[in-house]
Amino acid sequence: MTTPRIAIAGAGLGGLTCARVLQLHGFENVTVFERESSPEARQQGGTIDLHADSGQEAIRAAGLFDEWRALARFEGQEQRKVDHATAALVEHEPPEGDFRPEIDRGQLRKLLLDSLTPGTVTWGLGIGSATPGEVTFLDGSTGPFDLVIGADGAWSRVRRAVSPAQPEYTGVMFVETRHDNDELLLDLTGQGTMVAHHEGLMLWAQRNSGDHIRAYACMRAREDWKPSNADLLELYTGWHPSLQAFLAGELIHRPLYALPVPHTWEHTPGVTLLGDAAHLMPPLGVGANLAMQDAADLALAIAAHGVRQGAQTYESVMLPRAIEAQKLTNAGLHDMVPERPIRV
């Protein structure tokens, strides 16, 4: 038998996990196509917690559990809630156990990349569209494949082969700031995550490795709103000055999008989706874990049942699971950032 030709769109955590597990099970003709020019083309985001029942199971399936544990920050499980007006600690969850230790996204991605057969990832060549049996690349060239896996994120181009759905704005804006070696902000954040909220506004911060902090001001806002630092300080009037300090520096505006719920499709032989391409949802600590779980489940199903039946078997499990996660995260976002009274 010939080895199936498998194309994976996107060199994110989901796509790389899928490629790794497939290679461990003898699938040599697997290529990941990534439109970015290199692994260093952009920063890979902040810290993520790998859950024991999803992300950690995927990293086990990838044969990288011990390597992941060596990098994981178990102290990063600490969670702190502070009062918006005084910055006093009001709730504290210490870093106990190993259910969801943190790791920088870039470190996890590098671990997966380094585990692949050299040449698995083709950089600077993204997939523009897919049909059963063939992909068309962004440069106009085409290629035959037995299976195309869309792991290409929120604005997936592969998704069009199975579904017309497009992400919709949730009404919530995150404005990100970044801070290095700031002792005041490090003390407030602790070893993991800190959150404060008041009357429809929220502020949360995550400690990354190397004493780096990523903070997010969260509010209901117009999709096109791009506040300045002064706008944020005005919005967060009455908050403690130490919390307002998180709002300083360069601002990165991140309107949040989600796919409609439920998002399903009739199985299309030769094409499937995983991660945000399949079930984009609010970023409440679930998405990366689900993407990796999807990836491992898909690869294991292919190894057990072959390309066609494996993809169909995977979708029968993944889609119901994703719908429940979408419902939970949509509800969580509404609770986290209520629609009233703040809207800008």
Side-chain angles (χ1 to χ4, degrees), residues 325-341:
Q326 286 176 294
K327 290 178 179 177
L328 287 172
T329 54
N330 284 340
L333 184 67
H334 187 274
D335 291 343
M336 189 174 81
V337 191
E339 293 190 16
R340 294 181 299 132

Side-chain angles (χ1 to χ4, degrees), residues 141-279:
S141 61
T142 61
F145 290 92
D146 298 292
L147 178 65
V148 182
I149 301 170
D152 47 345
W155 306 101
S156 169
R157 294 172 182 266
V158 175
R159 186 193 299 127
R160 302 170 191 169
V162 299
S163 166
Q166 287 294 308
E168 300 171 354
Y169 180 50
T170 63
V172 174
M173 175 78 69
F174 279 14
V175 183
E176 178 183 340
T177 60
R178 300 172 183 175
H179 308 272
D180 288 300
N181 301 306
D182 187 310
E183 291 300 327
L184 171 64
L185 301 188
L186 288 168
D187 287 344
L188 271 172
T189 304
Q191 295 298 318
T193 301
M194 180 220 72
V195 63
H197 59 78
H198 178 65
E199 293 187 345
L201 290 176
M202 186 174 181
L203 179 68
W204 61 282
Q206 288 183 318
R207 188 176 190 138
N208 294 207
S209 62
D211 290 338
H212 176 70
I213 289 175
R214 291 176 187 248
Y216 302 85
C218 317
M219 73 288 293
R220 295 273 167 182
R222 300 188 316 273
E223 184 178 2
D224 61 352
W225 190 55
K226 294 188 179 298
S228 65
N229 298 94
D231 292 330
L232 289 180
L233 286 174
E234 181 179 357
L235 194 61
Y236 283 76
T237 296
W239 286 55
H240 193 270
S242 63
L243 294 175
Q244 291 178 330
F246 283 104
L247 307 177
E250 180 184 359
L251 304 181
I252 303 168
H253 305 91
R254 300 192 183 281
L256 302 187
Y257 298 89
L259 281 166
V261 183
H263 178 229
T264 62
W265 59 87
E266 292 293 327
H267 175 67
T268 300
V271 184
T272 194
L273 307 175
L274 63 81
D276 285 350
H279 44 66

Side-chain angles (χ1 to χ4, degrees), residues 246-325:
F246 283 104
L247 307 177
E250 180 184 359
L251 304 181
I252 303 168
H253 305 91
R254 300 192 183 281
L256 302 187
Y257 298 89
L259 281 166
V261 183
H263 178 229
T264 62
W265 59 87
E266 292 293 327
H267 175 67
T268 300
V271 184
T272 194
L273 307 175
L274 63 81
D276 285 350
H279 44 66
L280 178 66
M281 62 190 72
L284 301 186
V286 178
N289 282 277
L290 271 186
M292 294 178 67
Q293 185 178 23
D294 289 351
D297 285 355
L298 174 57
L300 293 172
I302 291 171
H305 305 291
V307 165
R308 177 165 182 170
Q309 186 59 45
Q312 192 167 11
T313 298
Y314 151 76
E315 289 175 358
S316 71
V317 174
M318 178 273 292
L319 288 171
R321 177 175 68 204
I323 290 169
E324 290 307 307

